[in-house]
Amino acid sequence: MAQIILCFACIYLIWGSTFLAIHYAVIDLAPPIISGLRYFLSAPFIFLLCFFNRQSIRITSGEILRCTILGAFMLVGNNCLLVWAEKTVDSGFAAMVLAAIPIFIALLDSLVPGGDGLTRRGWAGLFLGFGGLMTLLWPTVRHISFSGTGKVFGSVLLLGAALSWAIGSVMSKRFKMQRDPMVLAGWQLLLGGGLNLVIATAMGSWAEARWTRPAVLGLAYLTVFGALIGFTAYVWLLHHVSVAKVATYAYVNPIVASILGIWLLHEGMGVYEWTGMFVILAAVALVNLSKVKRVG
């Protein structure tokens, strides 16, 4: 029981605080460097855990291809775009937009052949969620100007990041790989992180990197706590409690990120932002409840 509580604390608090760490790291480091190093460096530790658990990390060439595709969507498309967005948007705002990821997943899963269709409650949650997104983004859209294009661009990147994670999640269900999830997670971290580092090299990001103390500490936090400890706790929970319970991190992370952003970064949160966030969280709960009821 104590281990379950500890793991939930990790995905609630640590993952919620990664948005703050990204804010500090992205000031002096390029997004593909941050996303690349945090995952690429954490992969060997995942493999080490597999070794101590006497699990083989060997996978087939087909599984390598699938892990590369998933890494491209979930660790490049999602995380790299998120980091890029935080150059122009607040950390709390970024967490709020990404709270809608379960809604994107439910929509895509209902559209693909063989996917899980939505009940009336699920569709209601879907429309409520997109209404929450519109509310959240409305102040940005309403004040589009030459001076405000940065936040507009950041908002577009966040929507792309949410969609990319949703695509990767739906594809992950379809691939149905037989290896241990921890082994596959290690390969996805290694390959996805490697892709980010290739992008960083192609863009010439290393020459522009400034290894300041805030950037290094932010990157270290993302690597050790966000990628290694948080991801390991997430995978462990998936094997010991229901998926619906693990998915509750989607409700807590944006609240933690928003509180930290207000407290440490003095980020401003207006009525639209708070309203949009709670509408999105209510929508996610509605979608998840529709799935739980159907499974039961």
Side-chain angles (χ1 to χ4, degrees), residues 36-73:
L37 288 179
R38 69 177 289 196
Y39 294 123
F40 193 81
L41 294 178
S42 62
F45 292 97
I46 298 292
F47 290 145
L48 190 61
L49 288 175
C50 294
F51 174 78
F52 283 120
N53 290 328
R54 297 182 179 180
Q55 297 171 319
S56 173
I57 64 171
R58 292 182 179 180
I59 61 176
T60 66
S61 57
E63 289 169 333
I64 289 178
L65 176 60
R66 293 183 180 93
C67 286
T68 302
I69 294 173
L70 294 178
F73 277 105

Side-chain angles (χ1 to χ4, degrees), residues 40-246:
F40 193 81
L41 294 178
S42 62
F45 292 97
I46 298 292
F47 290 145
L48 190 61
L49 288 175
C50 294
F51 174 78
F52 283 120
N53 290 328
R54 297 182 179 180
Q55 297 171 319
S56 173
I57 64 171
R58 292 182 179 180
I59 61 176
T60 66
S61 57
E63 289 169 333
I64 289 178
L65 176 60
R66 293 183 180 93
C67 286
T68 302
I69 294 173
L70 294 178
F73 277 105
M74 304 179 80
L75 305 183
V76 180
N78 171 262
N79 192 260
C80 194
L81 290 181
L82 163 63
V83 178
W84 230 306
E86 284 206 41
K87 280 182 167 291
T88 56
V89 303
D90 290 343
S91 60
F93 179 84
M96 290 180 184
V97 175
L98 293 195
I101 285 178
I103 297 172
F104 282 91
I105 293 176
L107 175 61
L108 292 177
D109 205 27
S110 69
L111 295 177
V112 298
D116 294 329
L118 287 170
T119 63
R120 290 183 179 179
R121 180 183 293 181
W123 280 108
L126 201 67
F127 285 112
L128 182 65
F130 284 112
L133 268 178
M134 292 285 291
T135 304
L136 179 61
L137 297 173
W138 174 244
T140 302
V141 175
R142 185 179 59 179
H143 294 112
I144 290 179
S145 64
F146 289 108
S147 61
T149 52
K151 189 171 183 180
V152 173
F153 181 64
S155 299
V156 172
L157 290 179
L158 289 173
L159 292 175
L163 182 60
S164 185
W165 183 274
I167 293 173
S169 299
V170 173
M171 292 179 69
S172 180
K173 290 176 60 178
R174 299 300 179 277
F175 284 162
K176 296 181 179 179
M177 293 180 283
Q178 300 301 316
R179 306 290 176 177
D180 184 273
M182 188 70 75
V183 174
L184 295 174
W187 279 103
Q188 289 175 33
L189 291 172
L190 184 72
L191 296 168
L195 284 174
N196 276 308
L197 295 179
V198 169
I199 294 173
T201 302
M203 294 178 58
S205 301
W206 299 101
E208 301 174 358
R210 294 184 297 167
W211 300 95
T212 61
R213 183 178 180 182
V216 171
L217 290 177
L219 179 60
Y221 185 88
L222 291 169
T223 303
V224 176
F225 291 94
L228 182 57
I229 297 177
F231 199 76
T232 303
Y234 177 74
V235 173
W236 188 89
L237 283 171
L238 288 176
H239 285 75
H240 292 83
V241 299
S242 68
V243 176
K245 290 181 179 179
V246 179

Side-chain angles (χ1 to χ4, degrees), residues 227-291:
L228 182 57
I229 297 177
F231 199 76
T232 303
Y234 177 74
V235 173
W236 188 89
L237 283 171
L238 288 176
H239 285 75
H240 292 83
V241 299
S242 68
V243 176
K245 290 181 179 179
V246 179
T248 55
Y249 80 88
Y251 312 122
V252 182
N253 284 176
I255 297 175
V256 172
S258 300
I259 292 174
L260 290 176
I262 294 172
W263 177 31
L264 298 175
L265 302 177
H266 307 291
E267 295 176 349
M269 299 289 292
V271 175
Y272 283 103
E273 284 82 1
W274 284 112
T275 302
M277 180 181 72
F278 285 112
V279 170
I280 290 172
L281 296 183
V284 171
L286 201 58
V287 170
N288 284 342
L289 284 174
S290 70
K291 293 182 179 179

